[in-house]
């Protein structure tokens, strides 16, 4: 049988809960952007045709982010890869409230945020594989994905509410802090375990 941890073994590992908390924070922060992208761009006062071109950069950024992440995961430690890709997005969030009126700046900002959004799915799948193995991969991935789904579910509504209640600058600064926290938490994961040496019993 393939090597890896059982579900009960996985939930007793600190890596399980680091992933759970980290990807809840990351999805809460990033998932709220796409549904509110039009409002954000229109708030900057650019024309409709420019807004459409800017919004299209989000999808291009997602594709670029997934390609970049896949390439880096083959070469570097996965938590470091996530930090490398997400820190520029945190910087963009931190600056967005101050430089949102420039269309050129928005092209760059939305592309970088799209790239950060493209990281999550691939990185989570890879991290679960490397830290918990294949034997109960689907069950363990599903349990951690719950955190991702909760964040993604609440993110858009919270993003829209905070835009109205606290303003763009405060919202973006808060998102920058959360991105830094979520990605930095993954640095506590430690080195990849040698799963082939662990032979757990079958779980029912």
């Amino acid at each position: 049988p393939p090597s890896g941890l059982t579900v009960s073994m996985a939930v007793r590992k600190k890596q399980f809960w680091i992933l759970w908390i980290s990807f809840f924070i990351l999805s809460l922060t990033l998932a709220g952007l796409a549904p509110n992208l039009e409002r954000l761009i229109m708030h900057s006062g650019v024309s409709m045709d420019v807004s459409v071109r800017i919004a299209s950069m989000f999808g291009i950024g997602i594709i670029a982010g997934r390609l970049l992440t896949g390439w880096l995961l083959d070469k570097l430690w996965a938590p470091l890869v996530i930090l490398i890709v997400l820190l520029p997005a945190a910087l963009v969030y931190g600056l967005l409230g101050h430089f949102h009126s420039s269309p050129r700046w928005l092209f760059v900002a939305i592309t970088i945020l799209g790239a950060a959004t493209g990281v999550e799915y691939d990185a989570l799948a890879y991290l679960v594989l490397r830290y918990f193995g294949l034997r109960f991969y689907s069950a363990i991935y599903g349990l951690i994905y719950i955190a991702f789904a909760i964040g993604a579910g609440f993110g858009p509504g919270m993003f829209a509410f905070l835009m109205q209640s606290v303003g763009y600058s405060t919202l973006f600064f808060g998102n920058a802090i959360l991105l830094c926290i979520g990605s930095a938490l993954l640095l506590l994961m430690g080195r990849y375990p040698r799963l082939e040496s662990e032979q757990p019993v079958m779980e029912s």
Side-chain angles (χ1 to χ4, degrees), residues 140-160:
I140 296 169
Y141 179 84
L143 287 174
I144 298 174
Y145 189 83
I146 290 171
F148 182 93
I150 292 172
F154 280 101
M158 185 175 296
F159 199 98

Side-chain angles (χ1 to χ4, degrees), residues 108-155:
V108 175
I110 297 304
T111 303
I112 292 174
L113 292 174
T117 304
V119 169
E120 294 179 292
Y121 293 100
D122 294 343
L124 177 57
Y126 186 85
L127 284 164
V128 172
L129 175 63
R130 293 305 302 263
Y131 283 93
F132 305 111
L134 279 171
R135 193 164 192 178
F136 289 93
Y137 174 84
S138 297
I140 296 169
Y141 179 84
L143 287 174
I144 298 174
Y145 189 83
I146 290 171
F148 182 93
I150 292 172
F154 280 101

Side-chain angles (χ1 to χ4, degrees), residues 50-118:
V50 174
S51 297
V52 171
R53 293 202 301 272
I54 292 172
S56 70
M57 298 306 297
F58 189 77
I60 294 172
I62 289 176
I63 295 171
R66 302 191 81 166
L67 291 173
L68 177 63
T69 301
W71 181 73
L72 288 175
L73 286 175
D74 288 333
K75 301 178 180 300
L76 300 172
W77 184 48
L80 181 60
V81 170
I82 296 170
L83 188 68
I84 289 171
V85 179
L86 292 187
L87 280 184
L91 179 62
V92 165
Y93 265 140
L95 296 175
L96 200 53
H98 303 285
F99 296 97
H100 61 272
S101 60
S102 166
R104 182 175 298 178
W105 159 241
L106 276 174
F107 270 107
V108 175
I110 297 304
T111 303
I112 292 174
L113 292 174
T117 304

Side-chain angles (χ1 to χ4, degrees), residues 29-37 40 58 93 110 113-114 117 159 172:
T29 306
L30 292 169
L33 180 63
N36 295 285
L37 193 58
L40 166 64
F58 189 77
Y93 265 140
I110 297 304
L113 292 174
T117 304
F159 199 98
F172 293 146

Side-chain angles (χ1 to χ4, degrees), residues 163-198:
M163 275 198 296
Q164 297 246 343
S165 59
V166 302
Y168 284 79
S169 296
T170 303
L171 169 63
F172 293 146
F173 182 75
N175 278 351
I177 297 298
L178 287 176
L179 270 184
C180 290
I181 292 172
S183 54
L185 275 175
L186 295 174
L187 299 179
L188 302 176
M189 293 285 287
R191 66 179 63 187
Y192 300 137
R194 295 184 176 182
L195 294 169
E196 67 274 10
S197 64
E198 304 191 42

